[in-house]
Amino acid sequence: MGKEILLNIRDFGAVADGKTVNTKAIQAAVDRAGETGETVLVPGGVFITGTIHLNGASLHLEPGAVLKGSTNIDDYPAQDFVHNEFGVLRAMLINRDHDNVTIDGSGTIDLSGTSFYDTSVMNVPSSRVPFTKEQEAECTYPIGTRPSQCIFFHNAKNVTVRGIKVIDAPCWTFSFNACENVKLLGLTIDTSPNVPNDDGIHIASCKGVIIADCHISSGDDCIALSGITDWAKPCEDIVITNCVLRSCSKAIVIGYSYSHIRNVIITNCIIKESNRGICFMCNDTSALVENVRISNMIVDTRVRAGNWWGNGEPIFMMAVKHDYHIPAEQDPHRETDCAIRNVHIDGVTCMGENAMGIYGVDGNIREVELRNIDFTRKPSKNLPLKGNVFDFAPGRVDFEVPEDCGLYIGGGADVKLENINTRAWKIIHA
């Protein structure tokens, strides 16, 4: 990338003193780039900013460059976009209705997430047994006003984010919605283990997404595939490969409530110290996850204290009612003959503090194959907090896992098993 095609934000008045709020200067550079087709350069130094509208402009972050979010919520004005879960959009970088955007380089985007929380207080949930101080330290901070979709793309084609590091998100780090041809390559994402909802990458109702060679450590989900922005629009043609993931909640989650997810390949990933490894989530009606292949994975789970969803399950599928918290008018009333179908999981080594589970209702999980799965059950100091149960949140199923169980299949799920090694732990197909 030659310097002649870059617009340096310093030339528009941006100051790298770590104090000055440079929103206007950076936006001026971005606006010029939108006119000329040039790329905006963030040079070395710490540049504070609020909301920037990319409007189709690309960013290049030089080594040592830090684009740091303001700690003042007023620097993130409310936008004219309402998200189905988080309400009115507040974000640091926004690109809506513009194609051909690249964010790359070797610099850092620091979202200043913990500045929006009272870190002296922990949100300790009710429990079967009292929390220790160590367990309280794993809980979340109470939620306040915060930017909710930090790096937000909507209705954009041909988007590439490559090589940068993104840290300390106050809520979802990357949010891609109704986008096509998205490439997320070689990213490092590191968010607080105490910040609620600080997902690494959330892909909603997108088509044609490649996530590769990423290291993601997040409090909430590392990678989530859903239809939460538009329940009627499928999320499809997704490849996730060669990633190392660690989550206080779900490392990889496919589906949520009314989502329609199809054509997904996940391979060559390592999941470490996550509250739940690989998770499928479908409501019992109006939802569908289909055509998923997962292979060549190592999954390690440990139960984490706090309000995180999951309870140490390395592999978990649930197709039960869990839309209680969603306004009725959002239900797309999609007619499907099942909720999960045509899923193949092959070649996974699991070490977990709870059993694996597949649980639906009235046979709404079909054509699932598990092959070459090796499972080792580990002792857990935190499992007594919720008990030896599967976590169906936000659903209301209450199910005790038999103490000698390594894999439980229930609700009439159609599952084919081949070469499943759970050692002393039983496979129960109810």
Side-chain angles (χ1 to χ4, degrees):
M1 184 175 291
K3 290 184 178 299
E4 67 277 4
I5 65 170
L6 300 179
L7 294 176
N8 193 322
I9 61 173
R10 287 184 181 274
D11 295 337
F12 291 80
V15 179
D17 60 3
K19 299 178 182 179
T20 303
V21 178
N22 296 285
T23 308
K24 290 183 179 179
I26 297 172
Q27 188 66 60
V30 167
D31 291 345
R32 178 70 63 81
E35 298 171 358
T36 65
E38 295 170 286
T39 294
V40 174
L41 171 68
V42 182
V46 179
F47 295 89
I48 307 295
T49 186
T51 298
I52 299 296
H53 293 268
L54 294 177
N55 295 330
S58 295
L59 299 180
H60 180 74
L61 281 71
E62 280 191 339
V66 179
L67 198 59
K68 184 173 175 60
S70 167
T71 60
N72 184 351
I73 191 63
D74 293 336
D75 288 326
Y76 306 90
Q79 305 296 311
D80 62 345
F81 183 94
V82 179
H83 191 269
N84 280 341
E85 181 171 355
F86 293 109
V88 174
L89 172 66
R90 292 179 185 265
M92 178 175 159
L93 297 179
I94 298 174
N95 186 80
R96 295 170 59 189
D97 307 316
H98 287 82
D99 302 335
N100 306 314
V101 175
T102 296
I103 302 175
D104 68 2
S106 55
T108 298
I109 297 178
D110 180 349
L111 296 165
S112 301
T114 51
S115 68
F116 297 97
Y117 294 85
D118 181 352
T119 59
S120 68
V121 180
M122 308 306 292
N123 187 10
V124 180
S126 59
S127 171
R128 296 187 177 194
V129 297
F131 275 61
T132 66
K133 290 296 183 182
E134 182 181 6
Q135 290 167 334
E136 289 181 0
E138 291 186 1
C139 295
T140 58
Y141 304 132
I143 296 175
T145 304
R146 57 187 176 170
S148 59
Q149 309 275 289
C150 304
I151 302 173
F152 182 84
F153 284 78
H154 184 270
N155 190 32
K157 296 180 180 179
N158 308 324
V159 176
T160 299
V161 185
R162 181 193 299 112
I164 64 171
K165 183 175 184 179
V166 185
I167 63 174
D168 197 17
C171 196
W172 289 7
T173 308
F174 284 98
S175 179
F176 292 88
N177 307 271
C179 295
E180 292 187 26
N181 190 16
V182 176
K183 296 181 178 65
L184 308 175
L185 310 173
L187 304 178
T188 298
I189 300 173
D190 191 0
T191 69
S192 169
N194 301 108
V195 167
N197 310 120
D198 61 346
D199 297 27
I201 298 171
H202 201 117
I203 306 296
S205 302
C206 293
K207 181 177 182 178
V209 179
I210 297 174
I211 302 172
D213 306 328
C214 295
H215 287 76
I216 305 175
S217 180
S218 62
D220 219 302
D221 307 334
C222 289
I223 299 173
L225 310 179
S226 82
I228 194 169
T229 306
D230 181 354
W231 298 116
K233 184 177 178 63
C235 190
E236 59 189 333
D237 306 339
I238 313 294
V239 175
I240 301 170
T241 188
N242 299 347
C243 295
V244 178
L245 310 173
R246 185 210 60 82
S247 169
C248 294
S249 188
K250 306 174 294 295
I252 299 175
V253 57
I254 304 167
Y256 173 59
S257 194
Y258 309 127
S259 301
H260 183 186
I261 314 295
R262 64 190 180 197
N263 308 336
V264 178
I265 293 177
I266 302 170
T267 186
N268 298 349
C269 294
I270 294 175
I271 294 172
K272 303 167 59 178
E273 299 180 347
S274 293
N275 201 35
R276 182 179 273 166
I278 302 166
C279 179
F280 293 71
M281 296 180 66
C282 280
N283 197 57
D284 60 338
T285 62
S286 299
L288 180 61
V289 171
E290 59 181 345
N291 309 334
V292 179
R293 287 190 171 267
I294 298 173
S295 64
N296 201 29
M297 306 279 288
I298 294 176
V299 179
D300 170 55
T301 64
R302 78 170 187 84
V303 178
R304 291 181 176 270
N307 285 310
W308 308 111
W309 288 356
N311 199 33
E313 309 95 341
I315 297 172
F316 191 67
M317 297 184 191
M318 72 176 197
V320 302
K321 183 175 179 59
H322 66 261
D323 63 347
Y324 302 98
H325 62 302
I326 297 176
E329 61 269 20
Q330 290 189 22
D331 187 341
H333 300 290
R334 182 186 295 114
E335 295 295 329
T336 62
D337 62 352
C338 62
I340 297 174
R341 67 186 176 200
N342 196 17
V343 175
H344 301 264
I345 302 177
D346 186 356
V348 181
T349 297
C350 299
M351 295 77 69
E353 294 188 3
N354 200 352
M356 301 175 287
I358 300 175
Y359 197 99
V361 293
D362 300 327
N364 65 349
I365 298 177
R366 302 179 187 172
E367 301 171 13
V368 172
E369 290 189 4
L370 303 184
R371 301 176 65 237
N372 303 315
I373 309 295
D374 187 271
F375 171 79
T376 301
R377 184 75 176 261
K378 303 188 301 182
S380 174
K381 63 182 180 181
N382 286 343
L383 190 62
L385 296 176
K386 288 182 181 178
N388 201 44
V389 301
F390 291 140
D391 184 5
F392 287 89
R396 298 174 182 174
V397 176
D398 186 12
F399 179 79
E400 293 277 349
V401 180
E403 291 186 0
D404 59 352
C405 181
L407 168 62
Y408 188 94
I409 302 169
D414 170 25
V415 182
K416 180 180 179 180
L417 304 178
E418 180 180 336
N419 192 27
I420 309 298
N421 181 10
T422 57
R423 294 177 172 79
W425 305 92
K426 292 181 179 179
I427 297 176
I428 301 174
H429 201 154

